[in-house]
């Protein structure tokens, strides 16, 4: 190769890398005049395509035909897209309502498997007011086309609640909770299992009665594929609405078309003195054990009301297949009674046995609810705790929807939402009805018998509406997420005037925490007030030194500070942010008139850098 040719080759490669890096983040949003919700997403590996799932009552702006009511929506986007434009899409539904619950991708067949619920009928197989279903959908990368294959529908006479999907070899398993009688407002008391071969050569619906004696509630909360043909679920048996609650891990053996129970283990700690709900379970073949993250009191049982002041305690547990070598420890507690579902992770790059539990917590020494991670050894010994530095403002509440962790890089990303206990009265931002999307990244490394944590980034996008990250994944050193907004976050898009409806979005975020270019419009009313005007200080005059007032000298009256005048408030000065970080004007509406309220404040915090921005009295 000549010198000139070599230079051209290097320039071409550099151009490709720069182009990919320059467009490493993107955002796509469903039409704002159609209500939609987000479920989940999967990556396709070397194909560098992300497939997102949600549900909508619309037609994707007329591009698709709705089957009636609410349909499941699948759409694909390129990981390296410049704008997040949709490559292909499909609506899956019946004459009833369908909601997506979980998603898997089988690369050997280029097929997506969707777990969902339906109030309709796929081919005459309806069993109750709400059934579960698994649908297989093939995807052509050459044509960017989805094709609906087979659908297995099943349930119970009283209706079902779907929980999660799992794959073991050539078999897909979906689990949920069902009702033997009654209706959707009654407690679930059965385990519903949908089993299909990946090529749909076999399929079956298995319903198992789970309660006995005075028990009237059973719920399945999470699932993990174990060794060989085994898998495990975390579950609860209870007497609702206020009786005993038993939290269990149940292990099953998976056959071609049915499952058989292998045994149960009650989730307890401190020699059985404490019980806890297993909200998350995972299995590691490297560690040859399960890890469970749990909380007491549990929040997953919708028929059980916790007493006021029932502040959560967080537990970590590990066990081997066969329910042996079980170790459980109480790891943290919170003074906030916000519902929290901890997330379990097992294994780091340096210690395959290290168990991680991520959650959100408010401790006695902190006035904010932050993200946290506890790390333990297989013997239950504490290796270290992490508390997100995140934000120095008081009364911040960070709600966790999930945690993505890589056991090769040891980086973990918390995702969910952030809000304040009370919104800013001067610009209406940050209250519990105006939650902001949030990504928070850290790194954990095991050094000897200690977990060493490093802060990475904390990013959010502040608007007058409500945004939340529902699900996030990692692929090819980037993060991809789906979520919802009650306004609009895409530049140039107009928000729906009905600010109670949600709209689904998906986005790509770089591994340095750079968000795509975002711009918010919102029609949620903002009744802000003008900040108080400081009272001018009068120049002091000489006064007598006597303790008694001088004759004829009037006693000065107290100066009244004028109170805030209810107005639309001043328009905050617009702030610019570097491209791809956080930018966008917020548009509000009062008395039916759209007004510009101001540019969204932002938080962008990463390792060795803490940029602080101040807007309308809040320090970020």
């Amino acid at each position: 190769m000549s010198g000139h040719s070599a230079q051209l080759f290097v320039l071409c490669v550099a151009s490709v890398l720069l182009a990919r890096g320059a467009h490493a983040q993107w955002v796509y949003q469903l039409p704002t005049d159609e209500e939609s919700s987000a479920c989940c997403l999967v990556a396709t590996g070397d194909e560098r395509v992300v497939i997102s799932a949600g549900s909508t009552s619309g037609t994707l702006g007329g591009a698709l035909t709705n089957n009636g009511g609410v349909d499941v929506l699948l759409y694909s986007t390129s990981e390296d897209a410049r704008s997040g434009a949709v490559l292909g899409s499909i609506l899956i539904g019946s004459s009833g309502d369908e909601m997506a619950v979980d998603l898997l991708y089988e690369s050997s067949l280029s097929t997506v498997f969707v777990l969902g619920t339906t109030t309709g009928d796929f081919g005459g197989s309806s069993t109750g007011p709400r059934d579960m279903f698994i649908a297989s959908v093939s995807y052509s990368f050459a044509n960017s086309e989805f094709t609906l294959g087979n659908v297995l529908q099943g349930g119970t006479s009283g209706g079902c609640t779907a929980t999660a999907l799992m794959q073991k070899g050539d078999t897909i398993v979906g689990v949920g909770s069902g009702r033997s009688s009654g209706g959707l407002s009654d407690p679930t008391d059965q385990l519903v299992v949908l089993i299909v071969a990946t090529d749909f050569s076999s399929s079956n619906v298995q319903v198992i009665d789970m309660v006995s004696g005075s028990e009237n509630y059973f719920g399945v909360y999470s699932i993990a594929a174990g060794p060989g043909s085994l898998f495990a679920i975390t579950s609860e048996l209870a007497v609702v609405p206020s009786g005993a609650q038993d939290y269990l891990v149940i292990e099953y053996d998976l056959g071609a078309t049915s499952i058989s129970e292998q045994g149960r283990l009650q989730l307890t700690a401190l020699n059985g003195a404490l019980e806890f709900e297993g909200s998350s379970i995972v299995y590691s073949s490297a560690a040859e054990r399960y890890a469970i993250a749990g909380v007491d009191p549990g929040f997953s049982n919708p028929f059980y009301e916790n007493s006021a002041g029932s502040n959560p305690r967080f537990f970590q547990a590990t066990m081997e297949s066969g329910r042996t070598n079980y170790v459980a420890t109480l790891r943290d507690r919170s003074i906030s009674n916000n519902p929290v579902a901890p997330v379990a992770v097992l294994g780091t790059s340096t210690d395959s046995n290290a168990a991680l539990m991520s959650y959100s917590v408010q401790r006695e020494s902190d006035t904010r609810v932050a993200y946290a991670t506890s790390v333990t050894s297989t013997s239950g010994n504490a290796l270290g705790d992490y508390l997100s530095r995140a934000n120095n403002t008081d009364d911040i509440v960070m709600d966790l929807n999930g945690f993505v962790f890589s056991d090769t890089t040891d980086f973990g990303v918390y995702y969910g939402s952030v809000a304040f206990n009370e919104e800013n009265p001067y610009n209406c931002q940050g209250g519990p009805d105006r939650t902001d999307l949030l990504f928070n990244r850290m790194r954990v490394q095991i050094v000897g018998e200690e977990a060493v944590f490093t802060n990475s980034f904390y990013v959010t996008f502040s608007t007058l509406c409500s945004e939340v990250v529902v699900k996030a994944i990692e692929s090819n050193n980037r993060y991809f997420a789906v979520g919802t907004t009650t306004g609009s976050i895409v530049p140039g898009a107009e928000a729906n005037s009905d600010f109670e409806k949600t709209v689904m979005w998906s986005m790509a975020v770089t591994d340095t925490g750079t968000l795509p270019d975002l711009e918010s419009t919102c029609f949620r009313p903002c009744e802000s007030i003008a900040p108080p005007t400081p009272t001018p200080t009068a120049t002091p005059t000489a006064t007598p030194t006597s303790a008694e007032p001088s004759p004829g000298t009037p006693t000065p009256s107290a100066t009244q500070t004028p109170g805030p005048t209810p107005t639309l408030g001043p328009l905050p000065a617009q702030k610019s942010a570097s491209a791809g970080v956080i930018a966008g004007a917020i548009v509000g509406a009062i008395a039916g008139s759209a007004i510009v309220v101001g540019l969204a404040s932002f938080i962008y915090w990463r390792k060795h850098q803490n940029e602080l921005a101040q807007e309308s009295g809040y320090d970020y």
Side-chain angles (χ1 to χ4, degrees):
M1 182 181 294
S2 67
H4 180 68
S5 298
Q7 287 179 338
L8 286 177
F9 174 77
V10 172
L11 286 174
C12 288
V13 172
S15 298
V16 170
L17 293 176
L18 285 173
R20 175 172 290 180
H23 302 286
Q25 66 277 354
W26 48 258
V27 62
Y28 168 75
Q29 179 179 274
L30 270 62
T32 57
D33 59 350
E34 301 175 356
E35 187 170 11
S36 54
S37 61
C39 164
C40 36
L41 71 170
V42 291
T44 59
D46 292 339
E47 300 290 347
R48 303 185 73 89
V49 169
V50 174
I51 297 175
S52 302
S55 299
T56 179
S57 57
T59 61
L60 214 63
L64 303 172
T65 300
N66 190 283
N67 295 282
V70 178
D71 286 354
V72 168
L73 168 67
L74 297 180
Y75 63 87
S76 59
T77 48
S78 169
E79 291 188 8
D80 305 311
R82 292 174 178 267
S83 62
V86 168
L87 300 176
S89 57
I90 188 174
L91 287 174
I92 305 169
S94 66
S95 59
D97 292 334
E98 283 72 41
M99 298 293 293
V101 175
D102 204 356
L103 195 65
L104 286 175
Y105 174 71
E106 171 52 51
S107 59
S108 65
L109 300 174
S110 295
T111 298
V112 176
F113 293 90
V114 185
L115 173 68
T117 59
T118 177
T119 61
D121 196 330
F122 289 100
S125 53
S126 176
T127 59
R130 185 173 64 204
D131 288 348
M132 294 166 47
F133 72 88
I134 294 178
S136 65
V137 186
S138 62
Y139 183 73
S140 168
F141 292 97
N143 302 317
S144 300
E145 291 181 351
F146 290 98
T147 303
L148 177 62
N150 298 284
V151 179
L152 173 65
Q153 178 178 346
T156 58
S157 61
C160 298
T161 300
T163 300
L165 271 179
M166 174 200 73
Q167 181 174 3
K168 288 194 70 65
D170 295 331
T171 304
I172 304 293
V173 178
V175 295
S177 308
R179 300 166 179 84
S180 58
S181 61
L184 298 178
S185 61
D186 294 305
T188 52
D189 57 1
Q190 296 175 311
L191 173 63
V192 182
V193 186
L194 273 59
I195 307 170
V196 301
T198 53
D199 61 1
F200 255 84
S201 58
S202 63
S203 62
N204 188 41
V205 178
Q206 186 175 358
V207 179
I208 304 173
D209 293 325
M210 299 299 293
V211 299
S212 62
S214 60
E215 296 169 342
N216 61 349
Y217 171 84
F218 168 80
V220 54
Y221 299 148
S222 62
I223 186 172
S229 59
L230 298 176
F231 71 92
I233 62 171
T234 60
S235 59
E236 177 183 347
L237 286 168
V239 180
V240 297
S242 58
Q245 293 174 280
D246 290 324
Y247 302 112
L248 305 168
V249 171
I250 309 178
E251 202 167 20
Y252 290 93
D253 183 76
L254 174 63
T257 58
S258 64
I259 65 171
S260 58
E261 182 176 326
Q262 301 300 294
R264 304 181 178 190
L265 175 71
Q266 194 163 6
L267 292 174
T268 63
L270 299 181
N271 296 320
L274 299 176
E275 297 180 275
F276 60 92
E277 172 189 290
S279 60
S280 174
I281 185 170
V282 295
Y283 180 80
S284 167
S285 56
E288 297 183 333
R289 67 188 64 238
Y290 296 94
I292 303 116
V295 61
D296 172 57
F299 297 100
S300 298
N301 186 335
F303 301 94
Y304 197 99
E305 295 185 7
N306 294 315
S307 59
S310 300
N311 300 327
R313 296 174 292 189
F314 303 104
F315 297 82
Q316 280 180 288
T318 59
M319 72 173 192
E320 295 179 5
S321 178
R323 288 107 30 232
T324 61
N325 292 325
Y326 171 78
V327 178
T329 56
L330 170 63
R331 294 295 289 116
D332 208 344
R333 63 186 71 225
S334 178
I335 62 172
S336 167
N337 58 4
N338 289 341
V340 179
V343 178
V345 173
L346 189 55
T348 70
S349 66
T350 54
D351 188 348
S352 61
N353 292 310
L356 283 69
M357 176 178 63
S358 297
Y359 49 100
S360 55
V361 64
Q362 181 177 1
R363 294 175 178 166
E364 285 78 1
S365 58
D366 294 307
T367 56
R368 58 194 171 90
V369 179
Y371 291 148
T373 290
S374 291
V375 184
T376 61
S377 66
T378 54
S379 59
N381 294 328
L383 301 181
D385 295 306
Y386 170 82
L387 186 66
S388 168
R389 290 173 56 186
N391 186 307
N392 295 322
T393 308
D394 291 344
D395 300 327
I396 188 172
V397 179
M398 300 163 68
D399 284 330
L400 179 72
N401 274 344
F403 181 70
V404 180
F405 186 77
S406 168
D407 60 3
T408 57
T409 65
D410 295 330
F411 279 104
V413 170
Y414 310 88
Y415 59 87
S417 63
V418 63
F420 295 93
N421 288 331
E422 296 181 0
E423 69 181 41
N424 188 329
Y426 305 124
N427 64 9
C428 300
Q429 292 185 25
D433 295 327
R434 307 179 194 270
T435 61
D436 298 327
L437 64 88
L438 178 63
F439 299 94
N440 192 162
R441 186 182 190 228
M442 64 81 168
R443 190 180 192 187
V444 55
Q445 294 174 294
I446 310 301
V447 180
E449 294 296 318
E450 182 181 2
V452 179
F453 299 93
T454 306
N455 291 292
S456 181
F457 64 71
Y458 171 97
V459 290
T460 188
F461 179 64
S462 197
T463 79
L464 294 186
C465 272
S466 179
E467 286 80 36
V468 61
V469 184
V470 174
K471 180 72 174 181
I473 61 173
E474 181 184 14
S475 178
N476 295 313
N477 297 320
R478 270 179 291 164
Y479 299 98
F480 301 90
V482 293
T484 59
T485 176
T486 56
S488 172
I489 61 171
V490 171
E494 183 73 8
N496 194 318
S497 59
D498 186 352
F499 54 84
E500 297 296 337
K501 293 184 177 180
T502 60
V503 176
M504 177 181 173
W505 51 257
S506 56
M507 70 171 63
V509 181
T510 69
D511 61 354
T512 58
T514 304
L515 294 175
D517 290 328
L518 302 176
E519 181 179 287
S520 173
T521 58
C522 178
F523 285 93
R524 190 178 191 95
C526 173
E527 298 178 359
S528 63
I529 61 176
T533 303
T535 303
T537 303
T539 303
T541 58
T543 57
T545 58
S546 171
E548 298 293 329
S550 299
T553 303
T555 302
S557 60
T559 301
Q560 299 295 320
T561 302
T565 303
T567 67
L568 296 183
L571 301 184
Q574 293 198 354
K575 299 185 299 184
S576 62
S578 59
V581 180
I582 298 173
I586 302 175
V587 177
I590 298 181
S593 300
I595 63 167
V596 176
V597 175
L599 190 70
S601 61
F602 68 91
I603 306 171
Y604 181 70
W605 187 87
R606 52 190 295 189
K607 184 180 179 182
H608 305 311
Q609 179 179 355
N610 188 8
E611 299 179 357
L612 300 177
Q614 183 177 29
E615 180 172 351
S616 301
Y618 279 143
D619 290 330
Y620 288 87

